[in-house]
Amino acid sequence: MLSRIANSLLWMGRYLERAQHTARYVNVHYFSALDAPNLSKKEYVLDSISCMTGLSYEYDEDILNLEDQNLIYKITLDETNPVSIKSFINNARENARGARDILSSELWESINKFYHSANAYQGKTLTEEEILSFTEMVVHQCAIVNGYIDHSLLHDETWSLIQLGIHTEAAGQLTRMLIAKVRDIEKTEQLKLGKAMETYQCIAMLKSAEGYDMSRVHYKSVPNLKKALEFLILNKDFPRSIIFNLEAVNNCLQKISLVKGEEKGSVEFFAGKLQASYSYLTIEEIQDQILPFLEKTLDNLYKLGSLVDQKIS
């Protein structure tokens, strides 16, 4: 396979995952913030979503001056913002177009429909109803596209490259989300808002990864910070956990024919070592230093993504 095609498949998967995670996070937190009496909506959205999406007012002071609706527009529909949801969808479709000849017609049509659905949203502001319908549409369409990836492609090199992009990005996006939520919880502790607010933040954390219901099934209790982090980082059976995605990355690398060998410094060596380091980790070992642990995890995932890019290109 040409490296250009392989790169398009990889990044198609990555952009789809970015769109899905960002949409779900905005949906959960924007509408949860409307019911949060102790934090203003704009402050809540800025502090939590900017950390998750990569929009940082440390580098872009104009964000501080945005009204709520304009901030949401910048994150969702602003095509001049490279980390907006619409930019992710446009890039996913562009990468799919570059590999269209080896995709099923069903998969291509689902991505094309997703693109046109997203671009049907126009204008410079979004009402609350439009924010809800847009983010729900993105999550729903991503689920449809993922279904066609799994059920209309041969599970060969093409499928493995898309999955490699999806799982590499999923681990990174979840880590970014966890960092944002741990900071939110630290803020509630500083403001002395009580255990009820911490539980509220843990539920939002789990819902942002579609893990709330399965967490309750697994633990049979109301979530707390320790259980939420353990579930999202170390549960090998939950498909959005970090360890699950690291295992999936390793499986994909083994299936890609052009990637062989596990010499020191290779992507296979690094990915295998990273997965192994999580396989026997316990939440007790990391819970007291969770933020430094997550920041180190994110650095490792950036390195993993860079090594994957170098290998494919």
Side-chain angles (χ1 to χ4, degrees):
M1 182 184 294
L2 294 173
S3 61
R4 175 181 60 80
I5 302 296
N7 198 56
S8 291
L9 294 169
L10 178 81
W11 278 96
M12 183 187 94
R14 293 195 69 160
Y15 281 123
L16 285 170
E17 201 66 17
R18 283 184 190 181
Q20 180 183 180
H21 277 264
T22 306
R24 194 184 308 111
Y25 197 83
V26 170
N27 183 294
V28 169
H29 288 79
Y30 183 81
F31 291 101
S32 295
L34 298 180
D35 299 324
N38 294 308
L39 295 171
S40 72
K41 182 168 64 176
K42 180 177 180 179
E43 180 183 353
Y44 187 85
V45 170
L46 269 176
D47 288 347
S48 192
I49 296 180
S50 65
C51 180
M52 162 60 186
T53 61
L55 267 182
S56 175
Y57 42 83
E58 293 177 4
Y59 304 105
D60 187 356
E61 294 182 354
D62 289 342
I63 294 173
L64 284 173
N65 300 320
L66 292 177
E67 297 294 332
D68 291 355
Q69 298 297 324
N70 291 334
L71 175 68
I72 293 300
Y73 169 78
K74 191 173 185 69
I75 292 169
T76 54
L77 298 183
D78 187 355
E79 294 181 62
T80 66
N81 174 22
V83 294
S84 73
I85 296 171
K86 186 181 273 190
S87 292
F88 294 151
I89 296 167
N90 292 346
N91 289 334
R93 192 243 195 185
E94 187 62 22
N95 278 281
R97 194 171 65 84
R100 183 175 177 180
D101 290 344
I102 57 173
L103 299 180
S104 66
S105 58
E106 291 85 357
L107 175 55
W108 165 250
E109 287 168 9
S110 68
I111 294 173
N112 209 32
K113 182 177 180 181
F114 186 14
Y115 166 82
H116 287 295
S117 297
N119 280 276
Y121 288 82
Q122 300 292 335
K124 291 293 183 182
T125 59
L126 287 171
T127 64
E128 289 179 357
E129 290 76 14
E130 288 170 328
I131 295 169
L132 180 65
S133 67
F134 178 75
T135 52
E136 287 184 344
M137 180 276 294
V138 172
V139 173
H140 180 66
Q141 290 292 338
C142 280
I144 292 173
V145 172
N146 284 333
Y148 280 119
I149 291 171
D150 261 344
H151 300 297
S152 71
L153 296 180
L154 294 172
H155 285 208
D156 57 5
E157 189 179 38
T158 297
W159 178 85
S160 297
L161 282 162
I162 298 172
Q163 292 295 329
L164 180 60
I166 287 173
H167 291 292
T168 302
E169 192 65 37
Q173 289 295 320
L174 180 61
T175 306
R176 293 174 69 92
M177 184 270 285
L178 291 177
I179 290 173
K181 292 313 299 171
V182 169
R183 287 177 174 167
D184 286 348
I185 291 171
E186 287 183 350
K187 185 186 299 179
T188 65
E189 291 172 350
Q190 292 168 3
L191 295 173
K192 298 181 179 179
L193 296 178
K195 280 291 179 184
M197 183 57 75
E198 180 180 315
T199 302
Y200 163 85
Q201 296 285 6
C202 289
I203 291 173
M205 178 192 294
L206 288 162
K207 285 186 174 180
S208 298
E210 296 180 329
Y212 177 57
D213 293 329
M214 290 303 100
S215 171
R216 291 182 62 190
V217 169
H218 183 71
Y219 292 108
K220 298 180 175 58
S221 64
V222 176
N224 58 30
L225 182 57
K226 179 181 177 181
K227 290 176 181 175
L229 290 170
E230 182 181 51
F231 190 74
L232 295 175
I233 297 172
L234 300 174
N235 192 304
K236 295 181 180 179
D237 296 323
F238 182 57
R240 297 199 184 280
S241 73
I242 292 176
I243 184 63
F244 184 97
N245 283 289
L246 289 177
E247 289 180 356
V249 166
N250 272 293
N251 291 336
C252 292
L253 287 171
Q254 296 302 318
K255 290 182 179 179
I256 297 171
S257 60
L258 60 88
V259 179
K260 292 187 181 300
E262 294 186 354
E263 65 273 14
K264 187 177 180 181
S266 69
V267 64
E268 299 93 330
F269 181 88
F270 185 79
K273 186 177 179 181
L274 192 59
Q275 179 195 335
S277 69
Y278 279 78
S279 294
Y280 300 99
L281 201 60
T282 66
I283 190 63
E284 288 77 15
E285 295 176 83
I286 58 176
Q287 64 176 345
D288 291 335
Q289 295 292 325
I290 191 63
L291 198 53
F293 169 80
L294 290 170
E295 288 171 344
K296 184 179 179 182
T297 298
L298 191 58
D299 287 342
N300 283 328
L301 291 169
Y302 284 151
K303 183 177 180 181
L304 176 62
S306 177
L307 288 171
V308 168
D309 268 344
Q310 291 174 23
K311 197 73 176 181
I312 300 302
S313 300

